[in-house]
């Protein structure tokens, strides 16, 4: 187990290293130097610009810049941000927890919904209900994330005022609520964005779960359990689910990059101050440092999530632990 | 029930207004009588962008200005009517006088004036602030507007003197309103080159009636009432600025009541939101105009004339080919009018009677033919000596109005045989290219002030020749400069007016740009808010005196102050 | 020609003497949803190609920007008009050209690069293969949207060609992994060993014996990718960084309609075009997967 973890950690570190190197490469391949648009606005004094360029070693040979970049990255220094003056890492540090909250909730929701619907479908495979759910799944899986978000915002926040339209907490009242009230406030604001983000994933998980269950159900040990007189319900939930859960959990790790991608759009529509919204704002402001930082941060999130998913997989599936 | 509430509100309103006006009229610095009924309330204002810094000389965005105007104070505040030459209310200074044949203004600071950290406000703060604003390293955006102030001295701890190079109509406006006074004791030791990233910009300390409460990045900025303020506490408990960058979210948040107040410039949003029974709309006078600026020189350099637009005939043809009235009405309904020159109608010296180029597409076609731009058989784009009439227009993506209008303009000019390419770029790139004069035509927008002094920075010969100057289109006409100088040197607005008119006539006749629209914004606010002191240039100037009647309060208004100071 | 392929079942089963492709097509033809998907895509392709003849109006025409703007759907304008009085239906029809061609070309770039990379890695095997796949794993870990935003920020003013390249160059990672797995197993086949014994060069083996087996799974993956890329491009345009005026894709139409709660028909029609296309693509891809029996592909 420890060897497994060590291997995964090493793998993860390699991934982050490659992602960072790619970012460095991109910044230096791009036209202009990294500060050319953030600093070349009319009102900034030329001596200030020169000082910043020198401080970031932009006049050094490329290889030296590369190592300096990696060193600073290891220390968490991503350079200055002009979008929110101050270190880019501060802006990212503020945004990441919000994205984690959103993605974490969406992940859990999509699995709960997906496994639930998939199991429900498998239990009545071939029936009208199964086919109807399958069609709905397919349609939902085909919806563009940003469009779905905009539609849900219009319906649930604008038309029927069920949920708030934006933000993480109520801007005025939050601090004065009781702890229970504050929790409820946070949940109310989290509900719609998390639901939107989870829908796309839950559709594919449902399909996967259904297929996985249908593979497992005819297998020998299920028949044995049935022969032993175990009732249908119990058979399904205990034995089949346990086995079918495994490939679905593998999907958990694989779905992280897509989920983060979807989060970019959901955060934009719901004004959720997370990593995706920051990246989009940094794009409009041509804030290179924040955009690069967001890309690397995204890779880090995916890697960490993947490792956690692998641990979960190993916990559930004894065959993995034996490796 | 309704009759009972009605008179009560109007009595409340009247008494609040009366108290406010009375306090303003007498320039003694006594604390305003606080009407206990009016105290309380929280309003949420929409901010379109996340502010970068709240340090006054570094402010570039309107959201930053609105917030900074609550935290800091100028020496005096422009009166509601916007009369530049005579109508002001006390700010940090409670009285002032003229000296030395009107080349010096003496400001007497309110002796009770305190910074929000308790230290007293001194004349040395005023002198320090002036030094900061005029320092080229700090890079205040409108530094040229302070150019006619020679220096600021501190005669004693509560008297600051502004010395001018000569007399002109807007002396008082420049001295009293342009500087938001900042505390020397907190900023003196900050290195000037990196002020943008200084901590003060995120945790400002001013003398205004609101303090910074909590700043949640990318979400909200909360200002709380400064209860110990020497002017007296504001009526409202807090003002929260909610950062709303996504346009879909803004009308939704207003409709659901999450946001109480927003400045709206999109006519469709305005039309839908105006219908809401809970909202009141207020039109603000226009201080913004947009125009298609031609570059008289080749992009990025100053030596050679522009291949296309050095020719006044072509510029005139483009202007004649655009039905500006229709463009403006289509895009804005009632929220904009056709611009007539580098000014807006709200400016006291503006003159909209000046002759302008009207829409005449047939005339434009004839003019183009006479210039040699003819339409070869079977082609849609005019040519002259084998060169097609094709050019790019630089447009900033941040302005959705201009992004939509350019498509309509593109189509109109296509019918005239011109091929227009839209060069849409983001904010910083746009600013960079503008400064580098890297364009043939740019769809620029400008914010003006009541004073026309800003014209010099944007249209003078000196500014054209200065590589860092703001005369991006390289417009040079010494006669315009002369008329403008005469206007600015006049002693009062009445004698400035004929010179200003001649200046405007000169520049409009030169067609350096096609003046497209003057836009006004509408402020939509929740009906329970009772606004006062809506200054024409800044609807937000009097927020400290706004109130919410007790009977109309929402749950968020009843959240007291004590909790918020966490 | 692959003649003595070992029995893999499904379409490549030579029992009955039918050619593998024909029986695959027959299976596909029996799948009604896949056929529906194919029909929709074929119709879209026809509409895109024949746009000037199909569209009721010129998509750039602005008849009257004051009185005819934001008209709700009527018979004359089935999808209404937009803020410049342009007919939305015509804009959608012409927009299909941009959306479909960007997606198609982007996927073509991705498939080409991915197949090349994966084939080389799988064929060469060993340490080099391990390293190449590590790099691909790393690239797969970077969320694609963030990478797209990063490149769009760095390369200012991305035109359509640049957008196609960008979408293609960020989409080849999955294909390369797939191809590499297939090539790795195909490398061990008897006929490959035989061919090598007969003195065939590596290139010839790769192209004539191995790649044909890669075609069907890659085809399924490519079909799915088209749907992904259409949505990705629309999403980028929605964020303001994809297709820009005067070009208009479906994403541009949704973007134009985004701040108007009153003119819902603009974003709904743009979104509907996207949904229908992606749905059709998914149905077709599902059918293809069944017909070609390429079960080792990840489910959508």
């Amino acid at each position: 187990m420890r060897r497994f973890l060590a291997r995964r950690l090493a793998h993860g570190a390699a991934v982050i290293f490659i992602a960072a190197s790619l970012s460095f490469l991109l910044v230096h391949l791009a036209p202009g130097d990294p500060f050319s648009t953030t600093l070349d606005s009319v009102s900034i004094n030329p001596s200030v610009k020169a000082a910043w360029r020198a401080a970031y070693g932009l006049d050094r040979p490329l290889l030296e810049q590369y190592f300096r970049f990696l060193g600073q990255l290891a220390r968490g220094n991503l350079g200055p941000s002009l979008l929110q003056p101050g270190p880019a890492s501060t802006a990212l540090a503020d945004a990441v927890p919000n994205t984690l909250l959103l993605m974490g909730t969406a992940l859990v929701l999509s699995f709960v919904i997906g496994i639930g619907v998939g199991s429900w479908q498998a239990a009545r495979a071939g029936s009208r209900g199964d086919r109807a759910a399958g069609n709905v799944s397919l349609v939902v899986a085909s919806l563009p994330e940003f469009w779905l978000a905009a539609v849900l915002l219009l319906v649930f926040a604008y038309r029927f005022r069920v949920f708030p339209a934006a933000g993480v907490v109520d801007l005025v009242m939050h601090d004065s609520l009781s702890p229970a009230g504050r929790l409820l406030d946070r949940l109310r604001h989290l509900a719609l964005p998390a639901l939107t983000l989870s829908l796309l994933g839950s559709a594919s998980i449902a399909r996967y779960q259904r297929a996985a269950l249908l593979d497992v159900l005819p297998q020998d040990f299920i028949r044995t359990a049935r022969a032993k007189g175990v009732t249908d319900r119990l058979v399904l939930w205990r034995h089949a689910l346990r086995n079918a859960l495994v490939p679905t959990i593998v999907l958990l790790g694989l779905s992280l990059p897509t989920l983060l991608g979807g989060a970019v759009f959901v955060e934009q529509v719901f004004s959720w101050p997370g990593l995706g919204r920051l990246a989009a704002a940094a794009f409009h402001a041509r804030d290179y440092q924040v955009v690069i930082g967001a890309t690397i941060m995204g890779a880090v999130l995916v890697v960490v999530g993947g490792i956690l998913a692998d641990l979960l997989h190993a916990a559930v599936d004894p065959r993995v632990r034996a490796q | 029930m309704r009759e009972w509430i009605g008179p009560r509100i109007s009595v409340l309103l009247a008494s609040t207004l009366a108290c406010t006006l009375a306090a303003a009229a007498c320039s003694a610095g006594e604390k305003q009588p606080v009407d206990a009924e009016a105290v309380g309330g929280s309003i949420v204002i929409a901010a379109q962008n996340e502010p970068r810094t709240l340090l006054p000389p570094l402010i570039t965005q309107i959201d930053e200005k609105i917030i900074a105007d609550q935290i800091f104070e100028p020496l005096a505040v422009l009166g509601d009517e916007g009369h530049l030459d005579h109508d002001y209310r006390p700010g940090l200074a409670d009285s002032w006088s003229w000296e030395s044949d009107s080349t010096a203004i003496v400001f007497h600071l309110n002796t009770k004036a305190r910074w929000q950290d308790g230290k007293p406000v001194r004349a040395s703060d005023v002198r320090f602030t002036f030094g900061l604003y005029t320092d080229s390293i700090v890079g205040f955006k409108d530094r040229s507007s302070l150019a006619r102030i020679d220096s600021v001295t501190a005669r004693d701890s509560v008297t600051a003197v502004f010395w001018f190079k000569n007399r002109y109509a807007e002396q008082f406006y420049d001295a009293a309103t342009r500087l938001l006074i900042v505390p020397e004791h907190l900023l003196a030791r900050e290195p000037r080159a990196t002020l943008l990233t200084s901590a003060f910009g995120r945790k400002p300390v001013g003398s205004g009636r609101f303090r910074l409460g909590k700043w949640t990045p990318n979400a909200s900025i909360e200002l709380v009432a400064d209860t110990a303020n020497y002017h007296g506490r504001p009526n409202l408990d807090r003002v929260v600025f909610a950062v709303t960058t996504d346009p879909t979210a803004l009308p939704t948040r207003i409709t659901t009541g999450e946001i109480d107040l927003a400045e709206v410039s999109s006519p469709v949003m305005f039309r839908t939101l105006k219908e809401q029974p809970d909202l009141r709309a207020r039109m603000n006078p226009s201080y913004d105009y947009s125009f298609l600026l031609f570059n008289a020189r080749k992009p990025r350099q100053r030596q050679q004339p522009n291949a296309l637009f050095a020719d006044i005939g072509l510029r005139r043809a483009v202007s004649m080919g655009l039905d500006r009235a229709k463009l403006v009405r289509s895009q804005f309904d009632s929220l904009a009018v056709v611009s007539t020159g580098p000014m807006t109608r709200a400016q006291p010296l503006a003159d909209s009677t000046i002759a302008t180029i009207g829409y005449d597409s047939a005339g434009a076609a004839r003019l183009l033919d006479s210039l040699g731009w003819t339409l070869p058989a079977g082609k849609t784009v005019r040519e002259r000596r084998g060169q097609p009439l094709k050019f790019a227009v630089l447009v900033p993506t941040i302005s959705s109005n201009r992004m939509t209008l350019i498509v309509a303009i593109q189509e109109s000019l296509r019918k005239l045989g011109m091929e227009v390419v839209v060069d849409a770029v983001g904010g910083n790139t746009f600013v960079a290219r503008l400064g580098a004069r890297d364009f043939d035509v740019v769809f620029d927008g400008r914010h003006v002030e009541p004073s026309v002094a800003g014209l010099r920075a944007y249209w003078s010969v000196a500014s054209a020749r200065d590589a860092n100057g703001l005369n991006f289109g390289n417009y040079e006409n010494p006669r315009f400069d002369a008329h403008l100088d005469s206007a600015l040197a006049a002693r009062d607005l009445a004698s400035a007016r004929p010179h200003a008119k001649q200046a405007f006539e000169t520049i409009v006749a030169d067609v350096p740009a096609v003046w497209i629209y003057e836009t006004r914004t509408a402020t939509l606010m929740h009906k329970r808010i009772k606004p006062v002191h809506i200054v024409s240039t800044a609807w937000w100037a009097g927020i400290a005196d706004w109130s919410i009647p007790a009977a109309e309060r929402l749950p968020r208004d009843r959240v007291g102050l004590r909790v918020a100071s966490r | 020609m692959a003649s003595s392929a070992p029995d893999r079942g499904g379409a490549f089963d030579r029992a009955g003497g039918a050619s593998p492709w024909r029986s695959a097509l027959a299976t596909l033809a029996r799948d009604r949803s896949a056929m529906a998907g194919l029909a929709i895509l074929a119709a879209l392709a026809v509409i895109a190609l024949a746009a000037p003849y199909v569209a009721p109006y010129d998509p750039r025409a602005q008849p009257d920007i004051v009185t005819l703007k934001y008209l709700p759907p009527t018979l004359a304008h089935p999808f209404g008009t937009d803020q410049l009085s342009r007919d939305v239906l015509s804009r959608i029809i012409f927009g299909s050209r941009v959306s479909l061609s960007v997606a198609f070309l982007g996927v073509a770039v991705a498939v080409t690069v991915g197949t090349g990379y994966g084939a080389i890695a799988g064929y060469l095997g060993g340490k080099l293969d391990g390293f190449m796949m590590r790099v691909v794993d790393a690239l797969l870990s970077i969320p694609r949207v963030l990478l797209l935003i990063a490149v769009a920020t760095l390369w200012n003013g991305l035109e359509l060609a640049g957008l196609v390249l960008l979408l293609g160059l960020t989409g080849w990672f999955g294909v390369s992994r797939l191809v590499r797995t297939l090539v790795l197993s195909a490398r061990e086949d008897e006929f490959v060993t035989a061919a090598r014994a007969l003195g065939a060069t590596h290139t010839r083996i790769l192209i004539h014996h191995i790649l044909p087996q890669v075609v069907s799974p890659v085809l399924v993956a490519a079909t799915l990718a088209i749907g992904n890329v259409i949505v990705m491009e629309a999403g980028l345009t929605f964020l303001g960084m994809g297709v820009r005026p005067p070009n208009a894709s479906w994403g541009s139409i949704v973007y134009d309609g985004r701040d108007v709660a009153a003119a819902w028909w603009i974003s709904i029609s743009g979104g509907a075009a996207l949904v229908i296309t992606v749905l059709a693509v998914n149905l077709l891809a599902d059918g293809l997967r069944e017909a070609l029996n390429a079960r080792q592909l990840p489910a959508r």
Side-chain angles (χ1 to χ4, degrees), chain B residues 247-248 251 266 268-269 271-272 326-327 329-331 333 400 403-404 407-408 410-411 414-415 422 424-425 429, chain C residues 58 60-66 69-70 83-84 86 156-157 159 238 240 244-246 255 258-263:
Chain B
T248 328
S266 151
V268 186
M269 217 189 288
R271 213 181 9 195
T272 14
K326 201 165 203 184
L327 286 171
R329 211 166 61 234
S330 146
Q331 180 71 8
D333 280 342
S400 60
M403 288 293 287
T404 314
V407 180
Q410 193 183 31
E411 180 64 17
R414 186 173 73 94
K415 292 198 197 122
V422 175
V425 297
T429 318
Chain C
D58 176 358
R60 291 170 62 172
Q62 303 166 14
D64 189 334
I65 54 180
V66 179
K69 68 173 193 177
Y70 286 137
Q83 68 271 36
L84 288 172
R86 294 175 296 197
N156 218 342
E159 279 310 326
F238 178 77
R244 289 199 296 229
Y255 180 73
R258 80 202 178 290
D259 60 351
V260 182

Side-chain angles (χ1 to χ4, degrees), chain B residues 83 90 119 202 229 234 282 295 323 352 396 439 454 498 546 558:
Chain B
H83 293 305
K119 301 250 180 1
R202 310 288 288 192
N229 192 277
R282 174 175 242 108
N295 194 346
D323 187 354
S352 47
F439 58 87
W546 294 8
R558 298 201 200 100

